[in-house]
């Protein structure tokens, strides 16, 4: 292996699945697949070939993602394993290679947010509606880079079957979280018992892998059930939110943003035509999802003298099961056939249109609705197309009718006044059953938090508190600021998906296409040595390493943002790209150059007390208090995919530029953990304390990235 290892540390720790680009039958791609299979065979690693299914589904249905364990995968939707009580979280390819070689990886322990569900799901509302609503209702980065723990009463959680939980956990990625963990409760126990029985019954059947019974078996379940992993009763959380499932209705995400969620009944009145519909991906293509979609056509056939109606003229409906066993289960139930009879086009089990590869991509001007997980601009095809996300039944109904609509299974309850959600756990006082001991624990916990905060507030912030610099790590980084004025610039925007799986892209070509899905002028505006400054949640989305390496190819040594998506942060460190979070700089740039929404602070992002304004702080523009207009898609589809609604300008409006040379200079003094900004020639100069770069991170970056670091460590040990 190029990382320097000659063998895998623990072959039983690794599972290999081929699921991306499975429609590509070119000789170069097939050769790559053969090499991976040969590697797996040589090192005795469990292997699943192209067409067998999407890796995340395989990990769950084959029992690799086991409740109460930690499982990582080199894909951003590893969060899905949380649906079965397994702490799943993504790593990147370099991380995966280091785990193969050493059995270890590095970690930063995230804050934990608790999401408490109350009530029960109404008929016609699904797990997809739950997560679409959560992404759209809590859309100010409340859970960004948090680990999420889902909770609720036994009655509430019984209304969420495992398949719905998998969908919700899967899309906590889009919500900005690092994982989404459901409890090991009676619902999961019932599912596990069923899987163990199924594995025993179909031990030699094509419906199951021949080794499935080794992972799913009743003797293995007993110790798990007798001592299930659960949160301590006195556990503290960084944040707590609640959602009343009873108040939820079907929701649709988009266009081109998971942060915009609209009740289906409101969207239906807009008569939005549909060109393509997709029932694909690891999010919602299990047998239960295919059955829900098939039911739409069955009900329509009952009203059509038993004849299955065809999908609407001008609409193409694509279906692909999450795995081969799920497709066979749908075939056995007749669900697969009825959709084919209606005119659906089947695709192989794998990642296709969802990641912008293969058949059925959105063309310019087209509108698509999908049961997948991500609708970033350009993600599923053209940047001039519009993409919506919805449940399988809404996707099927929209394909049948040619416009965004539902099957009509949901009836709004009498007295309904909106979705009930908010902070804390949402429980009524009579449901809390607070004891004297519990109240005392709460008070003591609050006092302990106050003491910890006081300790933090009075830490030494003097110039004498210097950061030790590792050999080879730069003491200072400086350059002109190039400002990309948008929040939620995702990895698809940074590095287009159509180049991600091409192995022959040169460094020069990477530099040319860097940020092109965000702004086609970036390549000509940004120059080598510039410092890239962007908004909040920069680098959210997929785990592609090229999002970091393309910026390096452009010879940009430092990225500054209000906040980063965690997956991008890992990629940056692993590939020796430096990054610093400075929310105040982003706000100051927006105050000066007129950005649609100026934020004094963002929920979920806090600066330490050390980062308070100093005497050399720049002046702040006055706030303007007005009501915000309703959210609409950005003009020409060219703004940030997840841009917040525009606010009134705070200074005289300048021309809105996606990428701007500011003329500002930034110096990052690593030793003093401080940045200094000069606002243009002769402009004000101010400084800001920033986070310290730990020695181990410095060492990885100084050696040129994690791969070179691991290679050197292996060399030193042999």
């Amino acid at each position: 292996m190029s990382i320097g290892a000659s063998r895998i540390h623990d072959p039983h720790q690794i599972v290999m699945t081929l699921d991306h680009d499975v429609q590509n039958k070119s000789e170069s791609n097939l050769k790559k697949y053969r090499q991976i299979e040969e590697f797996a065979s040589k090192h005795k690693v469990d292997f699943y070939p192209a067409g067998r299914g999407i890796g995340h589904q395989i990990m769950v249905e084959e029992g690799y993602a086991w409740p109460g364990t930690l499982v990582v995968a080199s894909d951003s939707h590893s969060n899905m394993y949380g649906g079965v009580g397994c702490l799943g979280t993504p790593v990147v390819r370099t991380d995966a290679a280091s785990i193969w070689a050493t059995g270890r990886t590095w970690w930063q322990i995230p804050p934990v947010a608790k999401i408490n569900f109350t009530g029960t799901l109404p008929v016609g509302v699904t797990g997809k509606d739950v997560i679409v609503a959560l992404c759209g209702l809590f859309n100010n980065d409340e859970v960004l880079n948090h680990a999420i723990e889902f909770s609720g009463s036994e009655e509430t959680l019984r209304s969420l079957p495992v398949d719905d939980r998998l969908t919700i956990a899967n899309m906590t990625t889009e919500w900005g979280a690092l994982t989404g963990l459901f409890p090991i409760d009676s619902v999961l126990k019932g599912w596990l018992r069923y899987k163990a029985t199924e594995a025993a019954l179909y031990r030699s059947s094509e419906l199951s892998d021949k080794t499935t019974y080794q992972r799913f078996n009743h003797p293995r379940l007993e110790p798990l059930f007798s001592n299930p992993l659960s949160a301590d009763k006195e556990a503290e959380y960084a944040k707590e939110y609640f959602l009343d499932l009873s108040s939820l209705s079907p929701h649709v995400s988009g266009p081109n943003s998971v942060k915009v969620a609209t009740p289906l009944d409101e969207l239906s009145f807009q008569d939005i035509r549909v060109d393509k519909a997709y029932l694909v991906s690891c999010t919602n293509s299990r047998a239960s999802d295919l059955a829900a979609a098939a039911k739409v056509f069955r009900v329509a056939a009952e009203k059509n003298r038993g004849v299955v109606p065809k999908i609407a003229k001008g609409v193409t409906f694509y279906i692909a099961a999450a795995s081969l066993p799920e497709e066979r289960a749908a075939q056995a139930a007749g669900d697969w056939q009825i959709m084919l009879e209606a005119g659906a086009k089947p695709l192989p089990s794998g990642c296709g249109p969802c990641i912008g590869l293969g058949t059925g991509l959105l063309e310019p001007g087209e509108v698509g609705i999908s049961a997948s997980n991500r609708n970033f601009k350009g993600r599923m095809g053209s940047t001039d197309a519009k993409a919506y996300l919805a449940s399988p039944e809404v996707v099927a109904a929209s394909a049948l009718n040619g416009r965004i609509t539902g099957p009509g299974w949901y009836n709004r309850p009498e007295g309904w006044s909106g979705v009930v959600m908010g902070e804390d756990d949402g429980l009524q006082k009579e449901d809390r059953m607070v004891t004297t001991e519990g109240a005392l624990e709460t008070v003591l916990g609050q006092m302990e938090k106050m003491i910890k905060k006081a300790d933090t507030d009075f830490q030494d912030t003097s110039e004498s508190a210097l950061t030790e610099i590792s050999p080879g790590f730069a003491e200072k980084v400086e350059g002109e600021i190039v400002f990309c004025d948008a929040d939620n610039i995702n990895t698809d925007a940074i590095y287009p998906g159509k180049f991600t799986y091409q192995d022959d892209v040169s460094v020069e070509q990477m530099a040319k296409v860097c940020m092109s899905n965000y702004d086609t002028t970036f390549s000509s505006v940004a120059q080598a040595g510039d410092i890239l400054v962007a908004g909040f949640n920069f680098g959210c989305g997929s785990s592609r390493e090229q999002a970091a390496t393309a910026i390096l190819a452009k010879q940009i040594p430092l990225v500054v943002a209000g906040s980063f998506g965690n997956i991008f942060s890992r990629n940056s460190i692993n590939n020796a790209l430096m990054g610093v979070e400075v929310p105040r700089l982003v706000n100051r740039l927006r105050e000066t150059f007129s950005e649609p929404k100026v934020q004094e602070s963002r929920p979920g992002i806090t600066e330490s007390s050390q980062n308070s304004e100093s005497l050399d702080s720049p002046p702040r523009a006055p706030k303007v208090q007005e009501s915000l207009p309703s959210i609409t898609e950005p003009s020409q589809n060219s703004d940030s995919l997840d841009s917040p609604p525009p606010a009134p300008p705070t200074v005289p409006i300048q021309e809105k530029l996606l990428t701007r040379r500011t003329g500002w200079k930034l110096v990052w003094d690593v030793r003093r953990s401080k940045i200094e900004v000069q606002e243009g020639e002769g402009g004000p100069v101010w400084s800001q304390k920033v986070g310290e770069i730990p020695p181990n991170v410095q060492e990885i970056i100084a050696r040129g990235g994690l791969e070179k670091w691991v290679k050197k460590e292996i060399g030193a040990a042999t």
Side-chain angles (χ1 to χ4, degrees):
M1 291 183 283
S2 64
I3 205 166
S6 58
R7 63 181 181 85
I8 287 179
H9 176 77
D10 181 3
H12 298 294
Q13 196 178 36
I14 313 299
V15 181
M16 293 184 179
T17 65
L18 297 179
D19 58 8
H20 281 48
D21 209 16
V22 296
Q23 298 179 42
N24 183 354
K25 303 299 182 181
S26 67
E27 178 54 33
S28 61
N29 195 54
L30 295 178
K31 179 182 177 181
K32 188 192 318 182
Y33 284 174
R34 286 195 299 271
Q35 290 173 334
I36 295 171
E37 185 171 6
E38 290 168 1
F39 179 90
S41 176
K42 176 182 177 181
H43 293 277
K44 295 181 171 52
V45 170
D46 286 2
F47 172 81
Y48 294 84
R52 169 58 176 77
I54 301 173
H56 300 310
Q57 177 63 26
I58 290 171
M59 293 293 289
V60 170
E61 71 185 19
E62 292 297 337
Y64 295 108
W66 192 253
T69 67
L70 168 66
V71 175
V72 300
S74 55
D75 185 89
S76 59
H77 289 104
S78 310
N79 295 26
M80 186 175 107
Y81 313 147
V84 291
C86 169
L87 200 158
T89 193
V91 294
V92 296
R93 289 182 298 177
T94 307
D95 287 319
S98 70
I99 293 171
W100 295 359
T102 68
R104 297 177 298 164
T105 189
W106 64 272
W107 222 269
Q108 287 180 307
I109 305 301
V112 181
K114 183 178 182 179
I115 309 299
N116 193 55
F117 293 131
T118 62
T120 57
L121 274 186
V123 174
V125 183
T126 70
K128 186 57 164 279
D129 299 307
V130 173
I131 189 59
V132 165
L134 285 172
C135 289
L137 296 174
F138 296 97
N139 61 1
N140 286 308
D141 295 342
E142 286 90 343
V143 297
L144 179 64
N145 296 335
H146 284 61
I148 290 176
E149 179 185 317
F150 292 108
S151 65
S153 69
E154 184 176 352
E155 180 184 12
T156 293
L157 292 177
R158 275 203 305 266
S159 73
L160 290 172
V162 166
D163 282 1
D164 278 345
R165 298 179 185 196
L166 291 170
T167 298
I168 294 169
N170 182 292
M171 280 191 64
T172 56
T173 301
E174 278 62 46
W175 201 14
L178 303 183
T179 189
L181 187 67
F182 277 87
I184 301 173
D185 64 351
S186 60
V187 173
L188 179 60
K189 291 176 182 177
W191 182 85
L192 289 167
R193 288 191 179 99
Y194 169 80
K195 293 294 291 184
T197 301
E198 180 187 54
L201 290 174
Y202 297 104
R203 184 166 171 173
S204 60
S205 169
E206 291 184 356
L207 287 174
S208 180
D209 185 89
K210 292 181 180 179
T211 63
T212 307
Y213 74 93
Q214 296 174 1
R215 294 176 293 276
F216 280 122
N217 57 75
H218 290 286
R220 190 184 182 195
L221 296 180
E222 296 313 313
L224 175 67
F225 293 167
S226 62
N227 188 29
L229 187 66
S230 61
D232 297 334
K233 291 183 178 180
E234 65 275 12
E236 295 182 2
Y237 298 91
K239 298 175 181 178
E240 290 191 52
Y241 299 101
F242 74 91
L243 175 67
D244 183 355
L245 301 182
S246 301
S247 68
L248 200 60
S249 65
H251 274 64
V252 177
S253 170
N256 294 359
S257 173
V258 295
K259 292 195 172 186
V260 179
T262 307
L264 175 64
D265 56 357
E266 293 182 20
L267 212 58
S268 298
F269 286 117
Q270 298 181 27
D271 198 30
I272 301 171
R273 67 173 178 80
V274 170
D275 298 291
K276 291 185 171 81
Y278 306 88
L279 183 49
V280 299
S281 89
C282 55
T283 315
N284 276 117
S285 288
R286 284 169 282 279
S288 62
D289 302 310
L290 299 168
K295 182 181 176 182
V296 173
F297 294 98
R298 282 199 174 92
V299 172
E302 292 172 0
K303 300 176 182 178
N304 193 37
R305 299 179 181 178
V307 178
V308 177
K310 299 295 183 181
I311 59 176
K313 185 178 180 180
V315 177
T316 309
F317 181 31
Y318 297 96
I319 60 174
S323 69
L324 201 53
E326 294 295 312
E327 180 178 329
R328 288 171 175 163
Q331 290 172 343
D335 298 326
W336 191 260
Q337 292 88 329
I338 196 171
M339 286 188 284
L340 295 181
E341 190 176 345
K345 294 187 176 182
L347 296 174
S349 294
C351 305
C354 175
I355 58 171
L357 292 174
T359 302
L361 304 188
L362 289 172
E363 300 294 335
E366 287 189 332
V367 175
I369 186 166
S370 177
S372 55
N373 46 36
R374 192 167 282 165
N375 60 347
F376 298 155
K377 184 181 72 171
R379 166 80 176 183
M380 298 181 69
S382 171
T383 55
D384 292 322
K386 294 182 180 180
Y388 294 84
L389 303 178
S391 67
E393 41 265 71
V394 169
V395 169
S398 299
L400 181 60
N401 291 280
R403 59 184 181 84
I404 296 180
T405 189
W409 301 338
Y410 169 75
N411 292 313
R412 178 172 290 178
E414 291 186 14
W416 182 88
S417 58
V419 178
V420 179
M421 38 77 78
E423 297 185 15
D424 298 321
D425 57 16
L427 296 177
Q428 301 296 322
K429 288 184 178 180
E430 57 269 23
D431 295 328
R432 293 186 186 277
M433 300 177 63
V434 178
T435 63
T436 303
E437 292 80 1
L440 181 59
E441 286 180 0
T442 300
V443 172
L444 291 175
Q446 291 172 345
M447 292 177 63
E448 186 175 350
K449 287 182 180 179
M450 293 171 64
I451 293 171
K452 287 180 179 179
K453 184 178 186 303
D455 289 341
T456 301
D457 290 347
F458 288 98
Q459 284 178 352
D460 180 17
T461 61
S462 67
E463 288 289 316
S464 61
L466 300 178
T467 300
E468 183 178 347
I469 304 298
S470 298
F473 195 85
E475 289 195 25
K476 287 188 178 181
V477 180
E478 55 186 297
E480 181 179 344
I481 292 175
V482 169
F483 185 35
C484 288
D485 190 3
D487 295 332
N488 308 295
I489 297 177
N490 58 66
T491 51
D492 286 82
I494 300 169
Y495 192 77
K498 62 184 178 182
F499 298 105
T500 301
Y501 303 100
Q502 296 181 23
D503 298 326
D504 56 352
V505 181
S506 66
V507 173
E508 293 76 18
Q509 180 70 1
M510 288 186 75
K512 186 176 180 180
V513 302
C514 178
M515 302 290 287
S516 59
N517 263 7
Y518 163 71
D519 180 11
T520 56
T521 71
F522 179 87
S523 179
S524 59
V525 175
Q527 300 175 6
D530 285 340
I531 292 175
L532 172 60
V533 179
F536 294 84
N537 198 19
F538 182 81
C540 56
S542 73
S543 61
R544 66 191 65 171
E545 289 189 307
Q546 294 94 330
T549 56
I551 294 173
L552 286 170
K554 189 65 178 170
Q555 298 182 49
I556 293 173
L558 174 65
V559 180
V560 179
S563 60
F564 290 101
N566 180 267
I567 197 74
F568 180 83
S569 294
R570 291 191 73 92
N571 268 326
S572 296
I573 294 170
N574 289 349
N575 289 281
L577 174 65
M578 294 178 285
V580 181
E581 292 188 353
V582 190
R584 183 174 149 206
L585 175 59
V586 177
N587 290 333
R588 181 61 183 152
L589 285 163
R590 287 177 170 174
E591 289 171 354
T592 303
F593 296 108
S594 253
E595 193 272 353
K597 184 177 180 181
V598 177
Q599 300 170 332
E600 291 299 311
S601 62
R602 289 178 62 89
I605 301 174
T606 58
E607 297 183 32
S608 71
S609 59
Q610 302 170 10
N611 289 349
S612 59
E613 289 194 34
S614 57
L615 294 177
D616 59 352
S617 297
R620 292 190 179 275
K623 294 182 181 179
V624 179
Q625 298 292 337
E626 292 184 16
S627 59
L628 298 179
S630 59
I631 294 175
T632 57
E633 189 183 14
S635 173
Q636 303 300 318
N637 234 3
S638 60
D639 269 354
S640 163
L641 340 301
D642 296 337
S643 294
T650 59
V651 294
I653 295 176
Q654 299 186 33
E655 180 187 1
K656 167 69 175 180
L657 296 176
L658 293 177
T659 306
R660 178 189 296 275
R661 297 200 68 80
T662 63
W664 292 21
K665 303 293 183 182
L666 182 145
V667 179
W668 177 29
D669 188 332
V670 179
R671 187 176 293 280
R672 289 174 173 77
S673 300
K674 182 177 72 173
I675 65 158
E676 183 175 277
V677 176
Q678 178 166 1
E679 299 184 1
E681 187 174 351
V685 178
W686 53 275
S687 62
Q688 170 78 60
K689 290 287 289 183
V690 296
E692 184 176 315
I693 304 298
N696 59 335
V697 173
Q698 289 186 39
E699 186 178 356
I700 290 172
I701 293 176
R703 290 190 184 179
L706 183 64
E707 182 176 331
K708 293 181 180 178
W709 182 89
V710 172
K711 189 172 184 178
K712 187 171 182 178
E713 292 297 304
I714 291 174
T718 56

